[in-house]
Amino acid sequence: GESVGLHLPTLSVQEGDNSIINCAYSNSASDYFIWYKQESGKGPQFIIDIRSNMDKRQGQRVTVLLNKTVKHLSLQIAATQPGDSAVYFCAENNAGNMLTFGGGTRLMVKP
Amino acid sequence: DGGITQSPKYLFRKEGQNVTLSCEQNLNHDAMYWYRQDPGQGLRLIYYSQIVNDFQKGDIAEGYSVSREKKESFPLTVTSAQKNPTAFYLCASSPGAETQYFGPGTRLLVL
């Protein structure tokens, strides 16, 4: 399939291990954050979101952590599976319905 | 079956030709967006529309045009003025609650 990014930072993990993907956001006024997963040749898929009045939110096998002090967002994936291999983007909202996207991190899961 | 559809999946443009990418949604979302994705870069906003018959330029609108005559449709035309059109084009829609949902994308290639 097509590559969505040839020069992206890459995280390589063993199947079954936990993965942590990090994102630094730019605007201290941002009040809403989203993580997307993008498989090769496909559109981004919503994973999980968090508002700025929270510092942690959990979903199914995923957890998002928000540190507003250092403007840092992380996505934790528990028991990483081969199907988790993709590019992961964070996005921040600071003006109505407009999102600013990070550059993405490629997650590679080794069997 | 609700969602966002984009067509075609692949599109070939000859030099000097205008081409139109289709985006349709049956989610009853008010807002729709067009992004361009290049390898190694994040998503860049081309145009967006918050309501029918209204749209605004994004960060890289030059060489592109849009229309929003119906709520469910937001076609993007890549004009001959766009000198480097080869990219993956993503359409998204939003109910106005900040989260954007993406279509499967159209890959545009120049012959």
Side-chain angles (χ1 to χ4, degrees), chain A residues 1-46:
Chain A
E2 297 101 350
S3 170
V4 299
L6 298 178
H7 306 292
L8 294 173
T10 299
L11 174 66
S12 185
V13 300
Q14 203 70 39
E15 181 179 357
D17 287 351
N18 296 336
S19 303
I20 300 176
I21 300 170
N22 297 304
C23 178
Y25 64 92
S26 57
N27 192 332
S28 56
S30 294
D31 58 3
Y32 178 66
F33 305 87
I34 308 172
W35 278 102
Y36 288 94
K37 172 186 180 183
Q38 187 176 24
E39 296 175 273
S40 185
K42 298 182 178 179
Q45 176 186 3
F46 173 90

Side-chain angles (χ1 to χ4, degrees), chain A residues 2 32 36 38 51 97-98, chain B residues 10 33 37 98-100:
Chain A
E2 297 101 350
Y32 178 66
Y36 288 94
Q38 187 176 24
R51 296 200 175 276
N97 294 334
M98 307 310 297
Chain B
Y10 295 95
Y33 309 81
Q37 187 174 39
E98 300 160 316
T99 305
Q100 293 180 20

Side-chain angles (χ1 to χ4, degrees), chain A residues 39-59:
Chain A
E39 296 175 273
S40 185
K42 298 182 178 179
Q45 176 186 3
F46 173 90
I47 302 174
I48 192 168
D49 58 3
I50 188 168
R51 296 200 175 276
S52 58
N53 61 353
M54 304 170 69
D55 52 22
K56 180 179 181 179
R57 189 166 188 217
Q58 289 185 290

Side-chain angles (χ1 to χ4, degrees), chain A residues 84-101:
Chain A
D84 294 326
S85 294
V87 174
Y88 290 82
F89 293 94
C90 66
E92 60 182 299
N93 178 297
N94 52 43
N97 294 334
M98 307 310 297
L99 295 177
T100 301
F101 290 85

